[in-house]
Amino acid sequence: MKALILVGGFGTRLRPLTLSIPKPLVPFTNKPMIVHQIEALSQAGVTEVVLAVSYQPRTMMEQMNKYEQKYGIKISYSHETEPLGTAGPLALARDLLNDGDPFFVLNSDVICEFPLKDLLDFHRAHGKEGTIMVTKVAEPSKYGVVLSKESGQITQFVEKPQVYVGNRINAGIYIFNKEILQRISLRPTSIEKEIFPKMANDEQLYAMDLKGFWMDVGQPKDYLTGMCLYLASERAKPEIYKNDEKHNYTVLGNVIIDPSAQIGEGCVIGPDVSIAAGCVIGTGVRLSRTCVMPGVKIGKSSWINSTIIGWDCSVGKWVRMEGVTVLGEDVHVNDELYINGGKVLPHKSISESIPEPQIIM
């Protein structure tokens, strides 16, 4: 079996992190986002993953080589020289996907439990051309709503309904038979707006409900929410820090800490924190709802909440950060500053407080 992951976007919503690397390679709980998907695909029996790349293809290839051997899976590349939307990449990769077996298609910024074996079984049971995974949301008026029969057969798509018609939306995870490739031309095409409605009219498209959490982590506030949901999920359990040893710091709730990280005396870590390799956390630091990427140093007695700290940053002593603050790569924050919702571009030094949300160029 094969899978196609759509990784062609520029990741503008997740800047400043994506100014350093493509969005699929941004760490999420200490693994690149896309590696969570590759892990799940491998567990579902996929033997080859095709990455539909556009932005920084060489960086993608260099970074992904090591995961081929780790997960025993072949990684191929389909390079878009112009944006092809969400359906065009399937036509571009036609020769790689058109081998008879059903194939998965995933949006690269989706995080969930990835019940891909269940999706495959459901797809084979109904025997039609395609199946999309759907998830329930609290505010369906922001999305396109999927309507289907009790059997799962999709009858209609309603874009951003202002009157309630349902609360199930496209979760960005699909499985198709090769026949779908005949529907798609090699041009910029939206699979949601152009291909799916035609498949539904032909009674060839079904929906399966996704159990558990789901989040599109393509922007900072959703990234942090998705991190909290992931840390509470069954999928994260093997990685969660276990309070079975005595340390001179305290861990609360669901936390992932790389074994190489150094945590100072009197720190309180959690809930909902991931700390990556090579980090040094000073004494008395308080971290909650925060992602700390590799090589970060945090000075003593700092208080950090709802923040993403990029690679190789340094945060001084007695610093307070909150309000979905994001530090890009190699940012240096001086002692005793307050940052509330700041988005700081890479390689900057911050010497004054940022009391209101703003972008620091």
Side-chain angles (χ1 to χ4, degrees), residues 103-105 107 119 131-132 170 172-176 192 196:
F103 59 90
F104 292 99
V105 176
N107 291 339
L119 180 61
T131 307
I132 72 175
N170 178 355
I173 301 171
Y174 322 124
I175 187 168
F176 302 122
E192 299 88 355
F196 285 169

Side-chain angles (χ1 to χ4, degrees), residues 19 56 66 76 81 87 93 105 114-115 229 234 248 266 279 293 330:
L19 294 173
Q56 296 189 26
K66 58 189 173 185
S76 304
T81 55
V105 176
F114 295 115
L229 293 170
E234 289 294 319
N248 56 3
C279 293
M293 292 186 184
D330 185 40

Side-chain angles (χ1 to χ4, degrees), residues 28-29 111 213-217 221-231 289:
F28 182 87
T29 64
I111 291 291
F213 80 100
W214 173 89
M215 185 58 63
D216 173 343
V217 294
K221 68 181 181 65
D222 294 336
Y223 176 104
L224 288 169
T225 300
M227 183 188 73
C228 298
L229 293 170
Y230 175 82
L231 291 174
R289 202 172 186 269

Side-chain angles (χ1 to χ4, degrees), residues 248-277:
N248 56 3
Y249 56 89
T250 302
V251 172
L252 304 175
N254 297 315
V255 170
I256 291 177
I257 302 176
D258 187 274
S260 67
Q262 301 176 39
I263 313 293
E265 182 177 356
C267 289
V268 180
I269 310 297
D272 302 318
V273 170
S274 67
I275 299 175

